[in-house]
């Protein structure tokens, strides 16, 4: 038996399909290091393998099992009940009925998307902005709808293009379809586009070339270097921070059963709000005045003076 | 809303772009079909082409390098079908299904092992194909959008469509190929080396599909992502069937699909759910298939349709 | 007449399959080696992951849908027909099972039986649509089965994304089915779906070997014209066989939904790729049920082992996909697997 | 006429343990017509394909016009002046005549096919040897006789000095056959040499100069045609005397078994391929349908057997209307059917003999109870038939794909006769089968009639029609052109009718429909 405690990250999809999971992986590794533990990554592809991986992780004697995504909602409570001594950190989702050894950490993505929309509104030259999502599911509306709301908030007269969805066989990994949709949007004079297409985002960025001055917004991590000059800013979901905090809390024993992360907690942010924006490769670096305005808006959201509605209206 | 504003030039432009890989694959399928090799491995061939193109472009730092890689590696990959279905007399359906799976597995595996990523590989080091701007027509409202701003591969695809058609129906080579496909033993007795014709045709078709793969990964996006052929190869198979191995009819089938696909995007922006608009191209294709096979079968017991020769 | 290819029918030589597996393992090993991995460790983990007693439940649990989809492909293949529409049929089965379980006002076991039945009938009807299209209009089934899947998947995705969505979650999925509709658990991840699948597999083997229908299907596979001439009603047979094939796919969908997912989730039935794995297994055995089942079990072990390998080593599990395709390609090329006689 | 054009010595060809050609010596003189004869499997086709370069012999030399040849492929042989017309035509049906002829040796301009030049050359060639054919016609739409001319044109286009004809007359009307003989005479007059492979003795007697007879891969005899007789050739081929005439008593027709009224099969757009056909077959008679292939016989039989739904008219068996019913119901009503193509319709080559012999019985006792098959009964049934019909096969569990044509035909005949069905439709029952097997099958058909079955015989072989039928129908262009009692039918009359020339046929006293 290894003397070091074990931390396992079970991913719902192969890591790297989106940057979001890459961050989770990085977060797991850092958290394990901080706790003096060994980190392992188990990649799943579907509910059956998710279950297998959770089982395998618990059987391996993991102290903390990190699960990221909605995909775990149904399975985790069952597995958690079977392994009461293992602690499960569920990131980005939470089962409807609480389980003693499941600790949830969820995001308020819409807050950062709202700010991204504000950036779009403030920088758009054509006066038309829009969003592209991978799939038309409520969860992704947190990006697309809040983005539009943010733009409207700073510029009520702004025109919002109808949201397009990538769909197809492979919505999260079909850059060609992303490109096609974005290029249609751009040809309609939409010059700020929220790219909520995960692995398809590269195509969306590429389409920005069609219209001089057009720019997209990346998600999850800083995607600006991927397509220099075409990405304005990113809605960053700091899964790494959330996991680091969560694992630390679990090792210490003071992790709450339910935690949400938004702008206030540093779980959601824009690249422009973080240090190092000059070297980020993002276009927003050229708009210090906009950054200032958005920072102010962020403070208002944090303070609660500006309320951002959650587009994902879940029935309880 | 008038039709003109419904179908915008940019929509047509993007439809032309997105048809290109399918068109090249369909062309490849027709060629193979003409010499009597049923090719339904285009899905995998496109994927291999797309991957090799990205590798080549990244390694050589030039889009042309990427295109050459795509052609070379897809041709190599096509050796399996070229020899498997001829010299080794394997069943082409089985071989093609195996090839499609191998392509998916191999590209995903190599993606991880070569670049340490899974899912998507994008890097500024991948040089994409430039779009050819023809300044003379660039500003003409419709024409400019459709004919300018396309990659060389798109142009090549249409030129190849014409060239293949002429080759097929006007040259000795084409006549011989048609003969080989119609009755291999008859062609054999006329001194034609049937196997050689088949092998070379399948390999050439592999090159065409590789080109299509390059367009997929370098033409519009400069990215490789797992399974990025995403069913396009299958659409090409359908186009070959719809076109009954005639390059022009197959091209028309591709256009039909492209138009339906573009329309579906348009319908989406009208607020229809994408899950429903996504199926429009497939429903249109199914309808076309049904219409083109409309004649009622009379011989009931002896007739069974075998798609492959 | 002398144009026909008179070829002695050769049974595949016994060593062919082990040889193919050996070659697959060799190529896979070289690939691992080339990318800096340790092939021995990789294969050890695959073996342990698939065959160590504590992992049997996982392997079996994976085998249930995979062998199911193998039968879905094998049954038509026995008669020389290719069903590429397993995905669509699986989705219909899953969705219908979920809806029946949610909305039929029936008690316990009855609810389960009714849900499974509805799923099987729905998928069966859907699959026979392609057969009907071919027999009635001559639309090649090879392509129509494939094309028909897209609309079904799209519509199912729409239904669970909008009108039938579970409003309490952010995903495209139905509500959880009631406890009464869930398949009783045998142990761990295993539920009575396993037993259902064993029964179906046995039925298919029996059908193939002992019944008139099985004989007629076999003869059709060897020479459809001959079967038609001998009085087999090819059109009806095609529709019937496709119905059965689709019904098995429906059963697989129902087992997955009622036995482990407990709701219909958009995409969840398709990501594992059971359809294509099953098709490969069936092709490997040329549609012969026993061989197909064996091949399906083999693939299930390989895939389950692949996940274990990926957990324990840095080698991605797509390696097992490569192994499978190399094996089938080798067999197809070397011994004419699937080659039609005459 | 005594220069040696082609000489093969010591030709050996083995297929595994089987020696298909065993030390064959063949010498052919310039300008002669040389027959090569032998039973099925004697090795004729193998020898021809070696001479034509399609196969490499394991041993032996080929000397053509004094030069020893080493063919790598048929292309070399063609280049050296060999031409071959295969038994089953090697033509591309969707292409035009000129495309078929120039295929592989196209005249070009700037890399493109010079279509006008090609058509012109083909027309000139046809003119020269009086081979009437339109260079621009699509081959698939031509009659069999014309297609054969296209085959000959192909060889002549390549300037063939030696022309191999493999069973060239099997599908021709007597008139077409005579036309072919005229062409052959034109060719030999031009100093071209003909190698003639056939099973038909009267043709050998009529057109050839010398005969080489093969048996079991060896040359057993060489004869000069004018100095031998048909009987002697047969003895050389088989090693025994074969009875060429069928012994049969006059028929004793009973009740009508099969009746068709106004039977019509349409094609897409064109005129019907079967056009209002009326016929009735009685118990205890053999009715022959004569006609050149492609005049609607195939479709007529499909409509009669339930393989095809007719577009008009009715079919009844024993008074039961079976028009719209499927094959199984036809069989239930009393149909047994020997199809024209034993390999693609009549058997499943990859299936065992037992499975092949069970087909059609699979739903009836004793082989099954309708749902479950009785494996033991299937085996027993197969063993019995193999024994009774003398099928040469190792075991009933072996696949039938390796059987010779004659043996395969016996499998089909055995199965269909074992139905003891009141109605037997026999389509080309002896096509490509050797004389021994023909004798056997003819005997079986007559026995079937004498047992009281109604037999409908479709054959392109006039000798067969004439030898077996009690009544003869002639089919032309989708219609029954005439009906003749056997006594009034002779080769010439039938031949003219088969060509559609009713007026010339002098049908006095018989009805012409
Ligand atoms: N490709 C082959 N492989 C194995 N055996 C063969 C092959 N071709 C011919 N044979 C064998 O060689 C022998 C001679 O066959 P061939 O076709 O030359 O006979 P044939 O005299 O032309 O007969 P037929 O009158 O039926 O046309 C036969 O016994 C046959 O079994
Ligand atoms: N590849 C092969 N392997 C084994 N036997 C073969 C092969 N090819 C041909 N034969 C044998 O060659 C013989 C003659 O072949 P061929 O095609 O000439 O048939 P056939 O007897 O002439 O019948 P038909 O007249 O109906 O064509 C058959 O007995 C067949 O079994
Ligand atoms: Mg022969
Ligand atoms: Mg023969």
């Amino acid at each position: 038996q290894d003397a070091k405690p074990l931390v396992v990250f079970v991913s719902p999809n192969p890591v790297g399909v989106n940057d979001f999971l890459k961050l989770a992986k990085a977060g797991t590794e850092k958290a394990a290091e901080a706790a003096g533990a060994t980190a392992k990554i188990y990649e799943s592809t579907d509910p059956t393998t998710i279950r297998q991986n959770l089982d395998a992780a618990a059987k391996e004697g993991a102290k903390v099992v990190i699960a990221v995504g909605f995909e775990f909602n149904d399975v985790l409570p069952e597995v958690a009940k079977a392994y009461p001594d293992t602690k499960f950190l569920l990131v980005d989702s939470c089962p409807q009925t609480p389980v003693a050894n499941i600790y949830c950490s969820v995001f308020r993505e819409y807050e950062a998307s709202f700010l991204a929309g504000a950036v779009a509104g403030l920088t758009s030259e054509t006066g038309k902005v829009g969003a592209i999502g991978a799939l038309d599911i409520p969860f992704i509306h947190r990006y697309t709808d809040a983005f539009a709301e943010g733009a409207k908030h700073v510029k009520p007269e702004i025109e919002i293009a109808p949201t397009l969805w990538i769909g197809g066989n492979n919505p999260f990994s079909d850059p060609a379809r992303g490109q096609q949709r974005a290029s249609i949007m751009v040809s309609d004079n939409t010059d700020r586009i929220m790219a909520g297409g995960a692995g398809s985002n590269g195509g969306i960025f590429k389409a920005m070339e069609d219209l001089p001055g057009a720019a997209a917004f990346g998600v999850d991590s800083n995607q600006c270097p991927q397509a220099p000059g075409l990405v304005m800013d990113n809605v960053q979901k700091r899964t790494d921070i959330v996991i680091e905090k969560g694992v630390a809390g679990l090792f210490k024993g003071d992790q709450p059963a339910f935690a949400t992360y938004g702008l206030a907690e540093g779980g959601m942010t824009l690249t422009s709000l973080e240090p190092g924006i000059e070297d980020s490769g993002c276009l927003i670096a050229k708009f210090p005045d906009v950054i200032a305005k958005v920072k102010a808006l962020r403070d208002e959201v944090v303070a609660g003076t500006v309320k951002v509605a959650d587009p994902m209206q879940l029935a309880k | 809303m008038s039709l003109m504003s419904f179908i915008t030039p940019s929509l047509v432009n993007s439809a032309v772009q997105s048809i290109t890989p399918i068109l090249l694959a369909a062309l490849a399928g027709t060629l193979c079909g003409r010499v009597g090799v049923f090719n339904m491995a285009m899905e995998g061939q496109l994927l291999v082409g797309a991957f090799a193109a990205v590798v080549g472009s990244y390694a050589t730092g030039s889009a042309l390098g990427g295109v050459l890689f795509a052609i070379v590696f897809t041709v190599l990959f096509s050796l399996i079908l070229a020899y498997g279905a001829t010299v080794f007399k394997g069943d082409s359906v089985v071989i093609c299904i195996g090839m499609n799976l191998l392509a998916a597995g191999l590209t995903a595996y190599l993606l991880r092992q070569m670049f340490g990523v899974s899912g998507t590989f994008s890097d500024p080091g991948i040089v994409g194909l430039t779009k050819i701007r023809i300044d003379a027509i660039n500003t003409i409202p419709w024409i400019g959008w459709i004919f300018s701003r396309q990659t060389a591969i798109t142009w090549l695809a249409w030129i190849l469509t014409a060239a293949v058609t002429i080759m097929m129906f006007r040259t000795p080579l084409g006549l011989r190929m048609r003969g080989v496909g119609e009755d291999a033993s008859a062609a054999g007795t006329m001194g034609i080396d049937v196997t050689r014709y088949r092998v070379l045709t399948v390999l050439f078709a592999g090159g065409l599909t590789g080109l299509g793969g390059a367009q997929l990964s370098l033409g519009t996006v400069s990215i490789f992502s797992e399974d990025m052929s995403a069913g396009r190869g299958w659409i090409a198979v359908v186009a070959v069937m719809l076109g009954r191995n005639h390059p022009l009819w197959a091209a028309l089938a591709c256009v039909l699909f492209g138009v339906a696909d573009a329309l579906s995007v348009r319908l989406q922006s009208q607020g229809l759910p994408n899950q429903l608009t996504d199926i429009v191209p497939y429903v249109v294709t199914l309808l076309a298939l049904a219409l083109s096979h409309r004649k009622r079968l009379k011989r009931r017991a002896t007739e069974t349709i075998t798609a492959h020769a | 007449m002398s144009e026909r290819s008179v070829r002695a029918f050769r049974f595949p030589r016994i060593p062919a399959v082990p040889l193919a597996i050996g070659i697959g393992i060799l190529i896979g090993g070289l690939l691992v080696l080339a990318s800096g991995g340790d092939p021995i460790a990789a294969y050890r983990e695959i073996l342990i992951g698939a065959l160590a007693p504590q992992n049997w439940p996982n392997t079996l649990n994976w085998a249930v849908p995979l062998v199911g989809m193998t039968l879905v492909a094998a049954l038509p293949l026995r008669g020389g027909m290719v069903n590429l529409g397993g995905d669509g049929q699986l989705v219909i089965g899953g969705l219908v099972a979920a809806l029946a379980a949610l909305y039929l006002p029936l008690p316990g076991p009855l609810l389960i039986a009714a849900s499974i039945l509805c799923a099987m009938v729905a998928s069966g009807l859907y699959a026979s649509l392609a057969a009907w299209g071919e027999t009635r209009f001559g639309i090649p089934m090879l392509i129509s089965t494939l094309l028909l899947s897209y609309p079904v998947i799209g519509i199912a995705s729409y239904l669970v994304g909008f009108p039938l969505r579970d409003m309490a979650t952010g995903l495209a999925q139905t509500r959880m089915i009631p406890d009464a509709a869930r398949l009783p658990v045998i142990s761990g991840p295993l539920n009575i779906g396993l037993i259902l699948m064993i029964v179906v597999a046995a039925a298919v083997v029996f059908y193939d070997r002992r019944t008139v229908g099985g004989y007629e299907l076999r003869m059709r596979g060897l020479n459809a014209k001959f079967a038609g001439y001998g009085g087999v009603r090819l059109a009806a047979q095609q529709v019937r066989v496709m119905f059965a094939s689709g019904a098995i796919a429906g059963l697989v969908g129902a087992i997955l939904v009622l036995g482990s997912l407990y709701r219909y989730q958009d995409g969840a039935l398709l990501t594992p790729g059971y359809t294509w794995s099953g098709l490969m297994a069936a092709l490997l055995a040329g549609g012969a049920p026993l061989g197909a089942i064996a091949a399906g079990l083999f693939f299930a072990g390989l895939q389950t082992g692949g996940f274990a390998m990926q957990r324990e080593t840095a080698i991605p599990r797509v390696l097992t996909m490569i192994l499978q395709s190399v094996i089938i390609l080798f067999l197809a090329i070397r011994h004419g697997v699937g080659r039609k006689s005459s | 006429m005594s220069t040696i054009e082609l000489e093969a010595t010591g030709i050996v060809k083995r297929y595994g343990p089987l020696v298909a050609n065993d030390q064959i010596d063949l010498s052919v003189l310039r300008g002669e017509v040389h027959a090569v004869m032998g039973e099925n499997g004697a090795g004729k086709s193998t020898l021809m394909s070696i001479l034509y370069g399609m196969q490499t012999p394991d041993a032996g030399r080929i000397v053509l016009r004094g030069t020893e040849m080493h063919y790598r492929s048929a292309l070399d042989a063609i280049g050296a002046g060999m031409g071959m017309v295969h038994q089953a035509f090697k033509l591309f049906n969707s292409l035009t005549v000129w495309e078929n002829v120039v295929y592989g040796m196209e005249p070009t301009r700037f890399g493109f096919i010079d279509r006008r030049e090609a058509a012109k050359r083909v027309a000139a060639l046809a003119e020269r040897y009086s081979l009437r054919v339109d260079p621009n016609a699509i081959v698939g739409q031509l009659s069999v006789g014309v297609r054969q001319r296209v085959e000959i044109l192909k060889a002549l286009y390549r300037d063939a000095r030696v022309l191999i004809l493999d069973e060239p007359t099997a599908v021709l009307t007597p008139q077409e056959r005579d036309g072919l003989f005229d062409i052959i005479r034109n060719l030999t007059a031009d100093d071209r040499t003909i190698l003639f492979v056939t099973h038909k003795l009267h043709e050998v007697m009529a057109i050839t100069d010398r005969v080489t007879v093969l048996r079991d891969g060896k040359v057993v005899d060489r004869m000069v045609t004018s100095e031998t007789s048909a009987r002697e050739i047969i003895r050389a081929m088989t090693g025994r005397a074969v009875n060429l005439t069928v012994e049969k008593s006059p028929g004793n027709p009973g009740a009508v078994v099969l009746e068709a009224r106004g039977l019509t099969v349409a094609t897409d757009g064109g005129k019907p391929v079967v056009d209002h056909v009326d016929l009735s077959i009685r118990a205890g008679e053999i009715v022959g349908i004569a006609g050149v292939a492609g005049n609607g016989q195939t479709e007529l039989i499909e409509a009669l057997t339930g393989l095809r739904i007719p577009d008009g008219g009715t079919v009844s068996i024993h008074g039961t209307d079976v028009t719209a019913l499927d094959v199984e119901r036809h069989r239930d009503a009393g149909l047994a059917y020997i199809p024209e193509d034993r390999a693609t319709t009549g058997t499943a080559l990859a299936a065992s003999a037992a499975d092949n012999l069970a087909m059609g019985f699979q739903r009836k006792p004793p082989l099954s109870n309708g749902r479950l098959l009785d494996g033991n009964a299937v085996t027993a049934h197969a063993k019995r038939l193999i024994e009774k019909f003398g099928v040469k096969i190792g075991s009933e569990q072996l696949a039938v794909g390796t059987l010779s044509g004659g043996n395969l035909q016996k499998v089909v005949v055995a199965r269909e006769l074992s139905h003891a069905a009141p109605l037997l439709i026999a389509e080309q029952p002896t096509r490509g089968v050797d004389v021994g097997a023909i004798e056997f099958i003819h005997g079986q058909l007559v026995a079937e009639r004498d047992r009281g079955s109604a037999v409908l015989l479709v054959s392109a072989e006039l000798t067969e029609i004439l030898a077996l039928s009690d009544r003869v129908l002639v089919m032309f262009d989708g219609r029954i052109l005439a009906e003749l009692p056997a006594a009034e039918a002779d080769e010439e009359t039938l031949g003219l009718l088969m060509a559609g020339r009713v007026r010339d046929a002098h049908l006095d006293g018989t009805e012409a429909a």
Side-chain angles (χ1 to χ4, degrees), chain C residues 1-2, chain D residues 40 44-45 87 166-167 199 342 432:
Chain C
M1 173 116 237
S2 59
Chain D
N40 291 129
K44 307 179 295 287
S45 296
Q87 179 178 352
D166 194 353
E167 299 191 36
H199 289 293
R342 56 181 165 264

Side-chain angles (χ1 to χ4, degrees), chain B residues 228-259:
Chain B
M228 84 182 290
S229 44
R232 290 174 179 85
W234 289 109
I235 292 302
V237 174
V238 178
V240 173
M241 283 201 171
L242 272 174
R244 294 174 195 239
N245 285 333
H246 193 299
L248 288 186
W249 285 107
L252 191 70
C254 292
V255 169
L256 177 74
F257 183 83
V259 168

Side-chain angles (χ1 to χ4, degrees), chain D residues 188-234:
Chain D
T188 50
D190 197 25
D191 241 7
R192 296 179 199 258
T193 308
I194 309 288
L195 265 166
F196 194 83
V197 180
T198 185
H199 289 293
K200 297 182 189 175
L201 290 153
H202 54 278
E203 293 177 357
V204 173
M205 302 313 292
I207 188 81
T208 68
D209 299 305
R210 294 196 299 148
V211 185
T212 297
V213 180
L214 304 185
R215 193 199 312 158
D216 294 336
K218 295 190 184 71
V219 175
V220 289
D221 212 341
R222 295 190 182 81
M223 307 177 225
V224 175
T225 312
S226 54
E227 296 164 8
T228 187
S229 69
R231 209 153 286 279
E232 254 178 81
I233 298 177
I234 293 182

Side-chain angles (χ1 to χ4, degrees), chain B residues 47-119:
Chain B
L47 197 59
V48 167
F51 182 72
V54 162
V55 173
S57 171
Y58 185 71
T60 63
S62 94
L64 186 66
V67 173
L68 289 179
F69 262 62
I71 293 175
V72 169
F73 281 96
T74 317
V75 168
L76 287 178
F77 181 63
S78 308
L79 282 170
I80 304 175
L81 179 63
Y83 281 94
T86 58
V87 177
F88 294 100
K89 300 194 169 60
D91 183 281
S92 59
V93 171
V94 185
I95 293 177
C96 289
I97 290 175
M99 282 172 72
N100 288 333
L101 196 79
L102 180 63
L106 207 57
T107 52
Y109 186 84
L110 293 177
L111 187 64
R112 289 184 184 218
Q113 303 300 351
M114 289 171 67
F115 303 110
V117 298
S118 62

Side-chain angles (χ1 to χ4, degrees), chain C residues 38 57 82 96-97 101 110 119 132 135 159 163 165-166 188 200 208 211 214 219 232 253 256 268 309 334:
Chain C
D38 175 2
V82 183
V96 169
L110 224 52
W132 179 75
T135 55
L159 287 178
R165 181 167 74 84
D166 178 2
V200 169
D208 182 68
T211 68
M219 289 304 119
V232 178
L256 286 171
M309 172 190 72
R334 189 62 212 300

